[in-house]
Amino acid sequence: MRDILKTEELDIPEGVTVEIKSRVIKVTGPRGTLTKNVRHVDMDIRALKAGKDKTKVTLAVWQGGRKHVACLRTIRSLINNMVIGVTKGFQYKMRAVYAHFPVNCIIQEQGQSLEIRNFLGEKTVRHVKMLDGVTISESKAQKDELILEGNDIENVSQSAASIQGSCRVRNKDIRKFLDGIYVSDRTTVSHD
């Protein structure tokens, strides 16, 4: 069954500007600018002034099926994540876990890449490059903890996934060999 009109709304906080031109969304805030192209989704996206110093983004799908209507909430969440990114920023914490051979993580290129040595005692050196706008640093408070920070949640989470994926255990029982670098915490850079 097709719905004639389905809509979603998102309030934009003060200090953040949203520009939408032919389904290319540009969000600017105190931490920087993020741009997202959503031309592959057929929907009306408008940034409306809602009173004094208030902006509202409205999303609408006309004559949409179930899967098409589901895209409304997806795009709303995408814009919301961009707003959080340019105001607070995203922070992922990762912990190195090992039973015997201590995993050695070396940050290179001013926090733009990571070198992993001695994983399961292997001689191979693993290199993981961070995506655009993501910086990696070592935690001062916790041993064997890495902190990834950035404005774009997709880049931060994909960089964390690349680190975790580079330390997969092969040809062994993964119930016994639990070594690796895993995400331990997902939060924002600035806490209110």
Side-chain angles (χ1 to χ4, degrees), residues 2-188:
R2 287 180 173 269
D3 295 299
I4 293 171
L5 174 65
K6 282 281 187 185
T7 58
E8 281 276 352
E9 284 187 350
L10 176 64
D11 290 320
I12 305 299
E14 286 180 37
V16 178
T17 58
V18 177
E19 295 170 39
I20 298 160
K21 190 167 193 271
S22 61
R23 287 191 297 236
V24 175
I25 302 158
K26 187 178 175 186
V27 180
T28 310
R31 288 180 60 91
T33 304
L34 290 174
T35 308
K36 190 121 196 101
N37 185 344
V38 290
R39 283 193 178 140
H40 59 284
V41 182
D42 185 25
M43 67 170 62
D44 293 340
I45 308 172
R46 293 204 174 112
L48 306 171
K49 290 266 184 268
K52 190 178 154 191
D53 300 333
K54 281 277 187 187
T55 312
K56 193 181 276 186
V57 173
T58 59
L59 312 162
V61 165
W62 294 85
Q63 303 288 341
R66 196 171 129 238
K67 294 276 177 81
H68 194 184
V69 168
C71 293
L72 273 174
R73 186 72 180 199
T74 304
I75 302 300
R76 183 187 180 277
S77 298
L78 276 175
I79 299 169
N80 193 36
N81 280 337
M82 290 165 77
V83 169
I84 294 168
V86 296
T87 51
K88 297 178 182 176
F90 291 99
Q91 183 183 73
Y92 275 43
K93 290 181 182 175
M94 302 188 81
R95 294 284 298 275
V97 178
Y98 50 85
H100 188 274
F101 294 103
V103 178
N104 194 356
C105 298
I106 302 153
I107 292 160
Q108 297 176 328
E109 299 169 27
Q110 289 88 40
Q112 295 303 305
S113 79
L114 179 72
E115 186 181 271
I116 302 160
R117 288 180 181 272
N118 203 34
F119 175 70
L120 288 178
E122 293 174 7
K123 291 283 180 229
T124 53
V125 179
R126 293 162 167 80
H127 295 280
V128 182
K129 278 211 172 296
M130 299 297 109
L131 294 172
D132 289 340
V134 182
T135 56
I136 186 167
S137 60
E138 282 182 355
S139 173
K140 304 281 187 283
Q142 185 74 48
K143 182 176 172 277
D144 295 324
E145 188 173 62
L146 301 169
I147 297 172
L148 283 80
E149 291 180 346
N151 294 348
D152 191 348
I153 192 170
E154 289 182 13
N155 286 359
V156 175
S157 56
Q158 182 57 59
S159 296
S162 298
I163 292 169
Q164 186 172 331
S166 72
C167 294
R168 280 204 311 274
V169 178
R170 296 167 195 272
N171 305 324
K172 290 183 179 66
D173 186 355
I174 57 169
R175 295 169 299 179
K176 190 72 181 165
F177 290 84
L178 300 170
D179 294 26
I181 302 173
Y182 300 105
V183 174
S184 62
D185 189 23
R186 298 183 191 93
T187 180
T188 54

